[in-house]
Amino acid sequence: MHTFSPKIKPLGILGGGQLARMLALKAHSLGIPVTILSENKTDPAAQVVSNHTQARLDDPIALKRFLTSCSVVTFESEFLNANLLTTFAKQTGTEIYPRPRHMAKIQDRLSQKKLLLSLKIPTAKYFQVNTAQSAQRAFDSLGGNIVIKKRRFGYDGNGTYIIRSAKELATFQQNEFLNNPTTGTSYSDSYSDSYSHRFIAEPFIPFKREIAVMIARSRNGITQRLPFVETHQENSRCLWVKGPIAESPALKLLGNSLEEFLNQLKYTGIMGFEIFETDHGYMINELAPRVHNSGHYSLDVLSEDQFTLHLKAVMGLEIANTKDVCYKNSCAKTGFAMWNLIGSHQNSAQWQLKPDIHLHWYGKLENRPGRKMGHFNCLGSSPETALRLAKKNRRLFDL
Ligand SMILES: Nc1ncnc2c1ncn2[C@@H]1O[C@H](COP(=O)(O)OP(=O)(O)OP(=O)(O)O)[C@@H](O)[C@H]1O
Ligand SMILES: [Mg+2]
C-alpha cells in the first residue's frame, strides 16, 4: 500500500522538455506530486506543473536546494553532471533514479561501449578519436566507411558524422581539429567543453533495419520488457516507429539478455535500447537511461506506458511481473505506429484533428525547422496498416 498526499515531498524531474512533460502528466494521473527544475517558465514541462523551479541544471546551489525539496529525483536527459548529482544525493539523502553512476557510464559513448562489452552485449567495435591523426587511423582500419560520434551531448543525429570518403574525412578533420586551436592535445577544463572534441569511431553497419525496445526495472529487481519496434531515421533523426515486431527465438534471446544486463547493473528505471538488425544478428547501437522517443507509441497502445512504468520504478512502486505485454485493447495488439511531428518552417504550426490520430503536443512556443513539436500514434490491423494511416494523417499538420 502506498500513500501519496500533497504534504509528502514531491518527485523532482530535472529538465523541462517533452519527456519531462509527459512524465509529469502521467505523474498527475497516478497521484504522484511532481516538481520540475528547468531553465524557463515556458518550457513544455513547466507549463503542466504548479511547482516549478527556474534555474539552469548546472547551477549547483539551485540543484542542491531542489534535491532537498524532493523525495526522489529523476531526469529526462543523461547529459547532466553525474559527480555533482552523486555528491548532492549523499548530502541531502534524496534518492536519484536511474542512479548517477549509471548516468555517468552511459552519457559518454566510450564508457558506454566498455560497459556493453564488459557484460557481453553485442555492439560495433570502436576506436577513440581525439586528433586528426586518430580519425585517419580509424578510417583506414575500418575500410573507409565509418561513423564518428561525439562522446557526449549528441542527440537527434547532432554529433553523428557518417564518413564514406577521404574527402568527407578531410572536412571532418578540418572542422573539428585543424580549424580549432583549442583541440588536438589540450582541452578546456569546463564540464561541457572538455568533451566537445572527443569522439569514437565505429564501422558503418549495413543494417537491414533499426529496431528498439524499452525495458523497465523496479527497485526490487522486477523487469518488464515492452514490445520490440522498428524505428526509421531520416538524417539520423527518428521520423517514425511501427510495431509490434513478431519475436523470433533470436529476438527473444536478445530481450532476455538485455533484461539480464539491467539486472547485472542493478539498474532502476526504464532504459531504451537502440539496435541494428543485421544479416549476422543484432548489435546495440546505443543506450538511453530514461524514457525514449521509440517508446512514445506506448501512450496509446499499452495498458502501462513507458512513462508510467518509469515513474513506478523510480518511486519504488510495484511493476507487473509479467512476461506478456499488456495491450490496451485487441486493436492496439495488431499494429501501431508513431509519427514525430518535426518543424520544417518558422511559422506557427497549424493542424486539423481527426478521431483516428492520438496527438501528443509538446507546447513549444516556437515552431522551428528540425524541432520535435509533438507526435501522434495510430492503430491498425498490422504495423504496416498503422504506418500507412500515420503517413496519410501527417498531411493534416503544417509545421
Ligand atoms: N555505426 C553505424 N552504422 C550505420 N548507421 C549508423 C551508425 N551509427 C549511427 N547510425 C545512424 O545514425 C543514427 C543516429 O545515431 P545515434 O543513434 O548513435 O545518435 P543520436 O544522435 O544519439 O541519435 P538519437 O538521439 O536520435 O537517438 C542511427 O539511428 C542510425 O540511423
Ligand atoms: Mg540514437
Side-chain angles (χ1 to χ4, degrees):
M1 182 80 90
H2 297 275
T3 319
F4 291 114
S5 95
K7 287 187 196 134
I8 290 177
K9 282 186 177 180
L11 163 71
I13 303 176
L14 300 172
Q18 65 262 25
L19 300 181
R21 176 184 172 107
M22 289 184 271
L23 279 169
L25 290 172
K26 283 294 166 187
H28 294 331
S29 304
L30 295 172
I32 300 172
V34 61
T35 178
I36 299 280
L37 176 70
S38 81
E39 216 169 317
N40 301 297
K41 280 200 184 92
T42 52
D43 286 339
Q47 293 170 19
V48 302
V49 294
S50 55
N51 191 351
H52 174 249
T53 303
Q54 186 177 7
R56 286 172 57 106
L57 298 183
D58 59 2
D59 171 348
I61 295 170
L63 194 56
K64 189 169 174 188
R65 195 175 294 145
F66 184 75
L67 253 68
T68 309
S69 72
C70 297
S71 56
V72 175
V73 164
T74 190
F75 49 87
E76 69 162 358
S77 162
E78 60 276 29
F79 298 121
L80 302 178
N81 188 332
N83 286 337
L84 205 57
L85 289 175
T86 305
T87 307
F88 289 165
K90 270 196 202 122
Q91 289 175 357
T92 59
T94 300
E95 292 170 276
I96 302 179
Y97 295 112
R99 290 181 178 83
R101 67 180 149 95
H102 294 140
M103 174 196 275
K105 285 239 163 86
I106 293 171
Q107 69 184 187
D108 177 349
R109 286 193 186 262
L110 181 64
S111 50
Q112 185 185 130
K113 282 279 190 191
K114 289 180 180 166
L115 176 71
L116 288 167
L117 293 171
S118 71
L119 293 173
K120 302 204 165 35
I121 301 293
T123 185
K125 65 177 170 190
Y126 65 91
F127 285 72
Q128 275 195 69
V129 169
N130 294 340
T131 58
Q133 293 78 354
S134 51
Q136 186 70 51
R137 273 197 298 279
F139 183 78
D140 295 339
S141 313
L142 295 171
N145 200 0
I146 62 173
V147 181
I148 297 187
K149 300 178 184 187
K150 257 194 179 146
R151 276 177 55 184
R152 290 195 193 202
F153 306 112
Y155 70 97
D156 285 352
N158 298 307
T160 300
Y161 306 86
I162 297 179
I163 294 177
R164 300 171 194 267
S165 67
K167 194 167 163 230
E168 285 173 357
L169 178 69
T171 308
F172 171 81
Q173 289 168 312
Q174 197 68 38
N175 292 342
E176 293 297 335
F177 301 113
L178 306 174
N179 281 350
N180 198 320
T182 62
T183 63
T185 49
S186 66
Y187 299 102
S188 148
D189 283 340
S190 121
Y191 171 70
S192 54
D193 285 353
S194 61
Y195 278 88
S196 58
H197 296 275
R198 296 192 196 185
F199 304 85
I200 60 159
E202 57 185 33
F204 182 88
I205 305 296
F207 53 78
K208 291 196 288 189
R209 60 179 174 174
E210 288 187 81
I211 66 173
V213 67
M214 303 299 305
I215 306 178
R217 185 173 182 277
S218 69
R219 284 199 210 169
N220 60 357
I222 305 293
T223 51
Q224 194 180 129
R225 173 156 65 81
L226 306 192
F228 281 95
V229 294
E230 177 173 352
T231 69
H232 177 76
Q233 276 58 236
E234 271 177 24
N235 299 323
S236 299
R237 180 186 295 127
C238 178
L239 183 61
W240 56 254
V241 167
K242 71 174 178 180
I245 293 180
E247 287 191 22
S248 64
L251 202 51
K252 271 204 175 72
L253 274 180
L254 176 70
N256 293 343
S257 68
L258 297 180
E259 283 183 58
E260 191 42 38
F261 172 71
L262 295 191
N263 285 333
Q264 299 244 350
L265 291 179
K266 296 196 167 52
Y267 181 82
T268 297
I270 204 158
M271 173 100 80
F273 296 85
E274 296 182 15
I275 303 159
F276 295 134
E277 186 177 77
T278 76
D279 286 333
H280 312 288
Y282 298 102
M283 283 176 140
I284 302 303
N285 171 30
E286 63 166 340
L287 306 174
R290 53 174 164 79
V291 289
H292 187 254
N293 199 166
S294 70
H296 289 358
Y297 71 87
S298 62
L299 284 168
D300 300 296
V301 170
L302 303 179
S303 53
E304 296 212 303
D305 58 85
Q306 63 161 346
F307 304 96
T308 300
L309 286 169
H310 182 70
L311 289 167
K312 287 189 167 181
V314 303
M315 293 299 291
L317 306 179
E318 280 168 39
I319 62 177
N321 181 11
T322 168
K323 284 280 154 211
D324 296 318
V325 176
C326 289
Y327 288 92
K328 264 195 170 159
N329 52 47
S330 56
C331 185
K333 191 172 184 166
T334 53
F336 55 81
M338 186 278 319
W339 195 275
N340 269 340
L341 293 164
I342 300 174
S344 67
H345 56 67
Q346 309 263 8
N347 301 332
S348 300
Q350 294 187 314
W351 64 95
Q352 297 167 49
L353 291 176
K354 272 179 56 193
D356 55 1
I357 62 170
H358 302 273
L359 179 63
H360 301 272
W361 191 250
Y362 304 154
K364 295 182 182 174
L365 293 192
E366 281 168 24
N367 183 35
R368 282 204 294 268
R371 197 171 201 203
K372 286 179 182 165
M373 300 298 291
H375 72 271
F376 67 84
N377 295 321
C378 290
L379 304 180
S381 54
S382 68
E384 293 67 37
T385 318
L387 183 63
R388 266 200 300 278
L389 186 60
K391 274 189 180 147
K392 201 173 108 204
N393 282 329
R394 192 263 163 266
R395 295 189 209 120
L396 300 171
F397 294 83
D398 172 18
L399 74 170

